[in-house]
Amino acid sequence: MTNFDTVSAITGNLHSALESIGISFVRTVFDDERNIPATLLPLGEIFYDAEAFEDGFGERPGYVEAEFRVRVVIGALPPHDAVTEQQRWAHLVRGALSAASLNTGALAAQKPVSRVRVSRLDARGTGSMASVSLRLAIRYREA
């Protein structure tokens, strides 16, 4: 399995882990969050932000740290309820994403993911919509 195959499988497993806690994913782009149908909420988005590679020459395989951003649009809520829901979804997402949950499917045999770290959480609330974004650093062993 190449490094591309590994990071692609990690991305797929991110989707699966988040779907398992009730987050929807669609292939449609919504220019305005207010146009998201309520039946699709909470709606998730996964962004691939960066990768940092170790540079080892003639050494055992190194590790790569892939950075992702997971965004969950929760919906329109009164401010007090929005805060509670943002906190709830932040901790649900954090709990669902572990090395074990990402070392499934095509990665089950090799188990290359050794760490999942949430480096930052940003909560956003407006009068019309609440969301949370988590920045993830996922460490995996190079092929």
Side-chain angles (χ1 to χ4, degrees), residues 64-87:
V64 176
E65 192 158 284
E67 296 176 16
F68 291 88
R69 192 169 14 103
V70 172
R71 183 168 175 263
V72 179
V73 178
I74 300 165
L77 297 164
H80 179 73
D81 295 338
V83 169
T84 303
E85 281 300 293
Q86 288 168 322
Q87 293 166 343

Side-chain angles (χ1 to χ4, degrees), residues 3-47:
N3 290 338
F4 166 72
D5 295 330
T6 301
V7 78
S8 292
I10 289 169
T11 305
N13 291 346
L14 278 170
H15 274 101
S16 297
L18 295 172
E19 284 175 336
S20 75
I21 60 170
I23 296 173
S24 302
F25 291 91
V26 295
R27 295 189 182 270
T28 306
V29 175
F30 294 98
D31 293 331
D32 187 344
E33 293 175 337
R34 293 174 294 185
N35 294 334
I36 299 172
T39 57
L40 294 178
L41 296 174
L43 180 67
E45 298 175 304
I46 296 174
F47 301 96

Side-chain angles (χ1 to χ4, degrees), residues 1-11 13-14 48 50-54 60-68 98-99 102-103 107 110-117 136-143:
M1 179 175 270
T2 67
N3 290 338
F4 166 72
D5 295 330
T6 301
V7 78
S8 292
I10 289 169
T11 305
N13 291 346
L14 278 170
Y48 170 73
E51 280 193 80
F53 304 95
E54 285 185 6
R60 64 184 179 155
Y63 288 87
V64 176
E65 192 158 284
E67 296 176 16
F68 291 88
S98 65
L102 299 183
N103 280 325
L107 303 178
Q110 294 178 326
K111 298 197 183 315
V113 176
S114 59
R115 180 177 64 206
V116 178
R117 182 173 52 91
L136 307 174
I138 299 172
R139 185 175 189 209
Y140 69 90
R141 187 175 52 257
E142 284 194 276

